[in-house]
Amino acid sequence: MANIVADRREEKIAAIETLDSRLRWLASWIVHNANHIRPKRDGLKVGGHQASCASMTAIMAALYFHALRPNDKVSVKPHAGPLLQAIHYLLGNQSLEQLQQFRALGGAQSYPSRTKDKIPVDFSTGSVGLGVAITAFSSLVQDYLIAHGSIDERNAGRMISLMGDAELDEGNIYECLIEGYKHDIRNCWWVVDYNRQSLDSTTADRMFRRFDDIFETMGWRVITLKHGKLQRAAFARPGGRSLEDWIENCPNAEFAVLTYQGGAAWRARLTADIGGKPHVKKLLDSFEDDGLAALMTNLGGHCIESLMDAFDSADDERPTLFIAYTVKGYGLPLAGHKDNHSGMMNPGQIDQLRMAMGIEAGQEWEPFAGLGGNMAARLKNFIGDSVLAAKPEEPVSPQIHVPARFAVPSGDVQSTQAAFGNILLDLAKSSEELADRIVTTAPDVTQTTNLGGFVNQRGLFRRSDVADIFREAKIPSAQKWAAHAAGQHIELGIAENNFFLLLTSLGLAAPHFGTRLIPVGTVYDPFIARGLDALNYGCYSDARFLLVGTPSGLTLGPEGGAHQSINTPLIGMGQPGLAYFEPAYADEVALFMRWAFEYLQKPEGSSVYLRLSTRQVAQVERANTDWEADALKGGYWLRPPTAGAEAAIAFTGAIAPEVLAAYAQMLDDIPGLGVLNVTSPDVLHREWSASKAARWTDRNAQTCHVEDLLSILAPGAGLVTVIDGSPGALSWLGGVHGLRVSPLGTDRFGQTGDLPDLYSEYRLDSAAIIDAMAALF
Ligand SMILES: Cc1ncc(C[n+]2csc(CCOP(=O)(O)OP(=O)(O)O)c2C)c(N)n1
Ligand SMILES: [Mg+2]
């Protein structure tokens, strides 16, 4: 019995070893084809990373064809994209055409993409570091869903990152380790392709063992795979200890140089350094040059058996870092070369690799070419039996009902931020399913962004209970923050990158875990910039969440320049996958929140960003709800102009009172003057530019909302635009019908002050609006 099992394991190892070299070939060929065979029209280098792929073939082969479990999710380092494509090609999930169109329009993507690739991609990658950290947050989200009863504990998968070693230089890795430790994350694996080369350089030798310390401090198990089976066997032979010591002490750069130079260079160097010892000499002499090169580069990350053993050994839920030593460009003539990151084999070199694989010219794309019928059939069966082959498609989660209307918080004077908090609180008190699916989070600004009410009602999330010590000590506080498994607020430390990554993971809960969550995250508006790449990453991944940036603009007054956001309206406008709204009044907040909860669930929807303010603003009377439809399309006439009016004021957000005051003063002089409330410069502009583009392809294209809105004004009318932010967010309105524009807004850093002083200094007050209008006439 034992022998049968051992035989099976040997067979499995052999099969995976064959796949290892097959993947190295296919990834190289995909890149080669795109660069050297597919016709070029623009003289641009197509690119692709043969060396980065070759570094990781064994790791990926061992993971996907041995260790992977059905519910595991894998994030693949960006530059191993072609390997993932090749794996799915072997599985029959990827077409030849897609591979031939690698990096071409509509073809296999340069870096794994959830939204654009035709193969299943669990996590998009590209911006290094983010695709790693996201797995930690997804394991937290998985725990959230287990705690809330949506996933059976026994079905927990591992969230696995296959990462490049240079990704360990990214700060977001360490931010996420700290947060992960606080939340006691589990079922998370990071496998480092430790080739000790980045794009520019070789890893500093001083970093040796530093990562072990850092990760172990953060509660991770560290498993280092330094040597492969061949090396370990050689170390056990006479003279082997010296060889092992030599490798141990060899600087990374020298190791890379010798790897590139090959067997003869290894022999010369080893002979010079340790060849004086008779046992060592004998050991070295027992290898031909090629064999010696193979021995010296037989690192743990290239040894299928070592990898399988390592993966098997981590069979509990503890987060685990595998440091798999590798050679960048392993098995290719690029191995070890300083410039191999973007380096590519030339046609002669790829030909040699092909012949070494036993693949005939013309058979390059044949998945199992050169293997012989029997072996090919066995390998096909082996792949067909793999967990990956049986992995179900991502689930589709039903949409969660959103009530037809949200009650508008009462109060003649209120801020949009307070209204947001009150609407969430109402939801928290309700028995709506929507409320149960909301998960809130904030990077240490929960109270100051008015999330506190929701949290008091629904509790903090922790896998195990944490008492509210202040409360137990009867110290009065508005915050009731005991933590428990049913809690719905995930508390984060002050690291905005983590915040956006968590929103991304929560926003992918539906496709990842089959349970839709409605993530709501609040952040100080200026500090969106701090996590901007992670926000972009989330949108790129098509994660769905509601982002609330508050407070915003100069309007937060005495807090001063460091806390005043200026360009966030432009971020809101420029960020794909994020619809930006900036309400002025509480009823608009209610309208946009309700809409957002629905929109972020729609297949064709996106995430939503609300830019809010702490300014208490007198609310306007509404005669009816007619304004709502237009507000959702990006703007409505708060004070409708008369037909043919010569002027209007277009504004966004919290400076509404200054606008209405200026309007009241100018109305007598400018009959028919209008006030346009631009509730979303983003939606308005997006629709405008899309409709302009549509006219080239569709003669019957309709006019768009902003054209309709502004068409009531006289040709060449004057428009004053006002926003507490970059004026460019609104000044484009003049281009719609050729109106003359006088733009107001902020384009320099703010400073401390009260609102009258600041609005006067930065020309946002009613006097400035009147001056700007005068300048137009
Ligand atoms: C945020 C970010 N900065 C820079 C780059 C450009 N870049 C791509 S790969 C790379 C180095 C990667 O080295 P490593 O992670 O060790 O990968 P490998 O050696 O396996 O190719 C750099 C700097 C990037 N993709 N993302
Ligand atoms: Mg590297």
Side-chain angles (χ1 to χ4, degrees):
M1 178 68 188
N3 264 348
I4 296 174
V5 172
D7 284 353
R8 287 215 187 113
R9 191 169 166 88
E10 290 306 315
E11 252 180 62
K12 188 173 194 183
I13 291 168
I16 297 176
E17 281 173 351
T18 311
L19 285 171
D20 170 14
S21 49
R22 181 62 33 161
L23 290 174
R24 183 172 308 115
W25 162 255
L26 278 174
S28 299
W29 184 249
I30 292 168
V31 174
H32 183 81
N33 177 73
N35 284 272
H36 292 280
I37 298 178
R38 196 167 71 215
K40 261 191 205 146
R41 297 182 299 180
D42 53 11
L44 283 184
K45 174 186 166 181
V46 178
H49 302 85
Q50 291 172 333
S52 302
C53 286
S55 188
M56 218 184 209
T57 50
I59 294 173
M60 285 181 72
L63 180 78
Y64 280 100
F65 296 106
H66 171 67
L68 201 75
R69 296 182 191 152
N71 294 323
D72 292 349
K73 313 228 171 293
V74 189
S75 173
V76 178
K77 78 170 182 181
H79 301 78
L83 277 182
L84 188 64
Q85 302 288 346
I87 287 177
H88 284 286
Y89 182 61
L90 292 179
L91 278 165
N93 289 341
Q94 178 58 302
S95 69
L96 174 58
E97 293 71 39
Q98 277 284 307
L99 297 192
Q100 287 175 331
Q101 292 298 97
F102 172 62
R103 291 189 167 224
L105 186 67
Q109 296 295 295
S110 42
Y111 309 116
S113 163
R114 283 186 56 75
T115 55
K116 301 196 195 74
D117 267 315
K118 305 277 189 283
I119 55 170
V121 172
D122 295 332
F123 299 95
S124 296
T125 54
S127 180
V128 301
L130 299 178
V132 180
I134 189 76
T135 55
F137 291 102
S138 292
S139 60
L140 176 59
V141 170
Q142 179 174 250
D143 272 340
Y144 181 93
L145 291 171
I146 291 171
H148 284 248
S150 308
I151 298 178
D152 188 327
E153 173 100 42
R154 286 166 304 183
N155 292 333
R158 292 166 304 199
M159 305 298 123
I160 301 171
S161 165
L162 302 176
M163 62 190 287
D165 52 344
E167 301 198 70
L168 289 165
D169 285 331
E170 286 285 6
N172 82 281
I173 294 288
Y174 303 96
E175 292 181 343
C176 117
L177 277 186
I178 292 170
E179 204 58 59
Y181 186 66
K182 288 192 234 166
H183 284 276
D184 193 17
I185 60 157
R186 51 186 184 152
N187 297 311
C188 187
W189 279 10
W190 290 358
V191 187
V192 187
D193 174 357
Y194 200 57
N195 58 31
R196 291 150 291 149
Q197 283 190 273
S198 58
L199 194 161
D200 282 342
S201 63
T202 315
T203 306
D205 296 299
R206 296 178 58 124
M207 290 311 293
F208 184 61
R209 294 262 177 253
R210 290 306 95 215
F211 297 119
D212 307 42
D213 290 354
I214 295 168
F215 278 76
E216 278 164 2
T217 296
M218 291 300 164
W220 288 54
R221 167 178 41 216
V222 178
I223 296 178
T224 303
L225 293 87
K226 187 150 190 187
H227 306 290
K229 200 165 104 174
L230 293 179
Q231 282 194 354
R232 290 200 305 272
F235 297 159
R237 290 169 54 187
R241 274 295 296 276
S242 302
L243 185 64
E244 186 174 6
D245 288 347
W246 186 91
I247 294 177
E248 204 66 33
N249 293 311
C250 182
N252 291 329
E254 290 191 36
F255 195 92
V257 167
L258 289 166
T259 299
Y260 179 69
Q261 291 174 326
W266 279 118
R267 187 179 307 284
R269 178 63 187 275
L270 289 167
T271 304
D273 285 0
I274 49 174
K277 300 179 186 172
H279 284 316
V280 175
K281 169 126 187 22
K282 219 168 143 192
L283 181 65
L284 297 178
D285 286 349
S286 71
F287 292 93
E288 301 282 323
D289 279 359
D290 281 355
L292 187 60
L295 172 71
M296 295 306 287
T297 54
N298 178 244
L299 303 179
H302 297 305
C303 175
I304 297 296
E305 203 175 337
S306 306
L307 285 159
M308 285 166 61
D309 288 346
F311 291 149
D312 289 346
S313 73
D315 62 352
D316 54 20
E317 59 186 30
R318 188 162 168 210
T320 302
L321 179 77
F322 298 90
I323 301 180
Y325 276 69
T326 54
V327 168
K328 191 155 173 170
Y330 183 76
L332 308 182
L334 311 167
H337 194 285
K338 186 176 184 315
D339 306 331
N340 64 9
H341 186 77
S342 322
M344 234 171 263
M345 284 180 278
N346 61 34
Q349 290 172 322
I350 196 103
D351 248 8
Q352 280 203 330
L353 183 64
R354 176 180 60 73
M355 288 186 286
M357 300 275 309
I359 299 171
E360 299 207 9
Q363 298 290 298
E364 293 87 351
W365 291 112
E366 270 308 306
F368 305 105
L371 288 178
N374 261 348
M375 180 63 178
R378 290 223 312 267
L379 208 55
K380 226 171 153 172
N381 283 341
F382 175 72
I383 293 171
D385 289 342
S386 68
V387 163
L388 192 57
K391 227 170 138 74
E393 279 190 28
E394 285 190 344
V396 177
S397 303
Q399 297 190 10
I400 298 153
H401 170 75
V402 179
R405 294 191 78 81
F406 286 168
V408 178
S410 57
D412 295 340
V413 176
Q414 45 180 321
S415 72
T416 51
Q417 180 182 304
F420 159 76
N422 286 326
I423 293 164
L424 265 192
L425 176 59
D426 278 354
L427 260 176
K429 289 178 178 164
S430 78
S431 55
E432 292 288 341
E433 186 190 5
L434 174 67
D436 297 338
R437 297 298 185 92
I438 287 176
V439 185
T440 57
T441 187
D444 203 19
V445 292
T446 303
Q447 300 189 38
T448 43
T449 57
N450 282 51
L451 269 187
F454 183 90
V455 181
N456 281 346
Q457 204 65 31
R458 295 276 172 157
L460 288 180
F461 168 71
R462 287 277 164 183
R463 268 201 290 137
S464 22
D465 290 2
V466 181
D468 185 342
I469 306 283
F470 285 89
R471 202 161 183 80
E472 287 179 358
K474 303 208 167 20
I475 297 171
S477 161
Q479 318 299 337
K480 296 178 270 180
W481 286 12
H484 48 88
Q488 285 179 242
H489 176 78
I490 301 183
E491 195 169 38
L492 287 179
I494 180 167
E496 286 73 13
N497 247 297
N498 283 338
F499 166 72
F500 284 114
L501 287 175
L502 176 59
L503 282 179
T504 302
S505 289
L506 290 165
L508 289 173
H512 273 169
F513 302 112
T515 297
R516 194 182 288 279
L517 294 173
I518 307 286
V520 178
T522 59
V523 61
Y524 287 179
D525 199 54
F527 303 133
I528 284 178
R530 186 65 175 263
L532 203 48
D533 196 27
L535 167 62
N536 182 58
Y537 175 76
C539 294
Y540 183 73
S541 304
D542 200 24
R544 302 299 181 79
F545 47 80
L546 174 61
L547 168 66
V548 174
T550 189
S552 63
L554 290 178
T555 303
L556 56 72
E559 275 287 288
H563 280 61
Q564 287 159 343
S565 61
I566 293 172
N567 61 7
T568 42
L570 299 184
I571 291 171
M573 291 178 76
Q575 179 62 55
L578 189 71
Y580 148 54
F581 281 82
E582 184 162 346
Y585 301 110
D587 52 4
E588 293 175 8
V589 178
L591 181 73
F592 299 146
M593 283 176 72
R594 198 214 81 81
W595 174 85
F597 289 140
E598 219 163 59
Y599 188 68
L600 59 81
Q601 299 190 57
K602 289 188 174 162
E604 72 284 6
S606 76
S607 287
V608 179
Y609 159 42
L610 298 181
R611 187 173 187 254
L612 304 184
S613 169
T614 41
R615 184 183 189 193
Q616 307 270 335
V617 171
Q619 303 295 296
V620 284
E621 297 256 332
R622 308 281 192 192
N624 51 44
T625 55
D626 292 354
W627 59 277
E628 294 182 348
D630 277 4
L632 287 171
K633 288 196 270 177
Y636 68 97
W637 286 109
L638 183 60
R639 297 285 179 262
T642 53
E646 290 293 336
I649 308 168
F651 83 99
T652 293
I655 36 72
E658 281 62 36
V659 171
L660 290 180
Y663 167 80
Q665 286 187 51
M666 290 190 287
L667 193 55
D668 285 346
D669 295 332
I670 310 176
L673 178 69
V675 173
L676 181 67
N677 182 353
V678 180
T679 48
S680 174
D682 177 31
V683 171
L684 214 52
H685 184 274
R686 222 171 267 275
E687 196 213 1
W688 177 56
S689 70
S691 92
K692 286 283 170 205
R695 270 167 224 182
W696 295 102
T697 49
D698 176 6
R699 284 174 159 275
N700 302 318
Q702 304 284 308
T703 55
C704 64
H705 184 50
V706 69
E707 285 174 329
D708 295 345
L709 282 172
L710 294 178
S711 63
I712 189 171
L713 300 177
L719 193 65
V720 173
T721 63
V722 204
I723 182 168
D724 182 359
S726 304
L730 294 181
S731 61
W732 62 272
L733 286 169
V736 175
H737 287 313
L739 303 180
R740 290 169 302 123
V741 167
S742 200
L744 298 176
T746 48
D747 44 20
R748 62 201 159 99
F749 288 116
Q751 55 190 310
T752 52
D754 66 5
L755 289 188
D757 276 348
L758 288 174
Y759 284 174
S760 158
E761 174 71 20
Y762 289 83
R763 296 184 38 77
L764 288 172
D765 59 2
S766 50
I769 296 170
I770 293 168
D771 284 350
M773 190 62 86
L776 289 173
F777 289 97

